């Protein structure tokens, strides 16, 4: 059975979705860069080992990332799963886990990389928003895309309502992506694109606002 380690910084609702999804893998540990991350308590309630590597204890990103990598490697994971982990990782760290490091980002990448995606989507008047699970590369919020979910932006949406509706979909697609990874159902082709060994495509459109 494959082993994963989950990295968080805060609430950890995606982490919780992963813990509750009965994934075909061992969740070896949840690691946070903040001792006060709410998700650490959730993990402990689920009987999962936790660890804290505080970025405040290090003078630069390189030494923090080296210590984080050492803690991660102690669990010998097959995959390292970023679930609301709010630190930018150095190329050295990312390159150490090529093909093993995955992230969820609250936008339809490659649109809206970086922070405050919901606010920027609203500001731009975009009609469809979404989230993306992707392999992490040294290029921030890029990297081969595993799965995406799209949602309509509704009239009257605020940053808060949009984030909450998107989070519901994040909680569906992240466990699916990790399940595929742990079951070896994901292939990276020579273009650097992710293919599923057994694709199930539905092929319908999300149109927003809806047609009459
Ligand atoms: C999510 O929106 C995720 O896409 C982003 O950070 C947020 C984490 O939320 N990377 P949570 O800690 O999983 O509740």
């Amino acid at each position: 059975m494959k082993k994963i380690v989950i990295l968080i910084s805060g609430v950890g609702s995606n982490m919780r979705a992963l813990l509750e999804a009965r994934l075909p893998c061992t969740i070896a540990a949840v690691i946070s860069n903040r001792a006060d991350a709410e998700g650490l308590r959730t993990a402990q309630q689920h009987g999962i080992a936790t660890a804290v590597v505080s970025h405040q204890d290090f003078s630069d990103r390189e030494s923090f990332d080296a210590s984080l990598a050492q803690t991660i490697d102690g669990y010998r994971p097959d995959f390292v799963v970023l679930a609301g982990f709010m630190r930018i990782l150095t190329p050295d760290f990312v390159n150490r886990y090529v093909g093993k490091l995955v992230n969820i980002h609250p936008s339809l990448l490659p649109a809206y990389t970086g922070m405050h995606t919901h606010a920027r989507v609203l500001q731009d008047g975009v009609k469809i928003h979404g989230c993306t699970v992707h392999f992490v590369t040294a290029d921030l919020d890029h990297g081969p895309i595993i799965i995406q979910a799209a949602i309509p932006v509704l009239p009257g949406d605020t940053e808060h309502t949009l984030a909450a509706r998107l989070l519901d979909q994040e909680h569906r697609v992240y466990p699916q992506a990790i399940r595929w990874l742990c079951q070896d159902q994901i292939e990276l082709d020579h273009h650097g694109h992710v293919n599923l060994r057994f694709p199930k495509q539905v092929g319908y459109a999300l149109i927003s606002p809806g047609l009459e």
Side-chain angles (χ1 to χ4, degrees):
M1 181 151 349
K2 296 272 200 297
K3 227 195 265 187
I4 69 169
V5 163
I6 304 174
L7 268 54
I8 63 166
S9 297
V11 176
S13 71
N14 276 291
M15 174 212 72
R16 181 196 289 272
L18 293 166
L19 299 189
E20 292 177 352
R22 299 165 176 243
L23 294 171
C25 62
T26 303
I27 299 176
V30 169
I31 302 173
S32 173
N33 64 308
R34 300 177 58 109
D36 61 354
E38 197 182 318
L40 285 174
R41 278 199 308 263
T42 313
Q44 285 154 8
Q45 284 159 7
H46 281 75
I48 307 287
T50 59
V52 175
V53 181
S54 171
H55 59 279
Q56 288 172 336
D57 294 344
F58 300 88
S59 56
D60 53 40
R61 285 191 193 281
E62 285 70 22
S63 49
F64 167 67
D65 280 7
S67 174
L68 181 62
Q70 202 178 21
T71 303
I72 292 170
D73 293 351
Y75 296 101
R76 301 186 163 276
D78 297 283
F79 300 106
V80 179
V81 178
L82 305 179
F85 185 69
M86 302 305 286
R87 301 296 300 173
I88 293 177
L89 296 162
T90 55
D92 271 0
F93 181 95
V94 171
N95 292 332
R96 187 185 185 103
Y97 299 106
V98 173
K100 297 172 124 199
L101 185 60
V102 289
N103 182 42
I104 187 157
H105 181 77
S107 80
L108 289 172
L109 292 176
Y112 299 104
T113 58
M115 303 285 283
H116 310 299
T117 57
H118 315 301
R120 287 156 60 207
V121 157
L122 289 170
Q123 174 87 31
D124 289 346
V126 164
K127 303 299 186 204
I128 294 178
H129 186 28
C131 61
T132 304
V133 179
H134 65 102
F135 286 108
V136 177
T137 61
D139 202 0
L140 184 69
D141 294 332
H142 284 77
I145 293 172
I146 300 171
I147 188 170
Q148 296 183 301
I151 62 167
V153 179
L154 301 177
D157 255 339
T158 62
E159 217 181 314
H160 179 74
T161 59
L162 194 52
R165 263 201 341 282
L166 186 58
L167 213 43
D168 286 344
Q169 301 309 315
E170 295 185 31
H171 298 164
R172 298 175 68 195
V173 296
Y174 216 0
Q176 176 66 82
I178 304 305
R179 180 170 283 117
W180 282 331
L181 277 173
C182 291
Q183 292 176 336
D184 281 325
Q185 291 192 48
I186 281 179
E187 293 176 338
L188 258 182
D189 69 20
H190 61 282
H191 299 294
H193 295 164
V194 172
N195 298 311
L196 283 183
R197 285 189 209 283
F198 307 106
K200 259 196 247 171
Q201 288 299 348
V202 281
Y204 53 71
L206 169 62
I207 299 177
S208 170
L211 303 180
E212 289 196 352

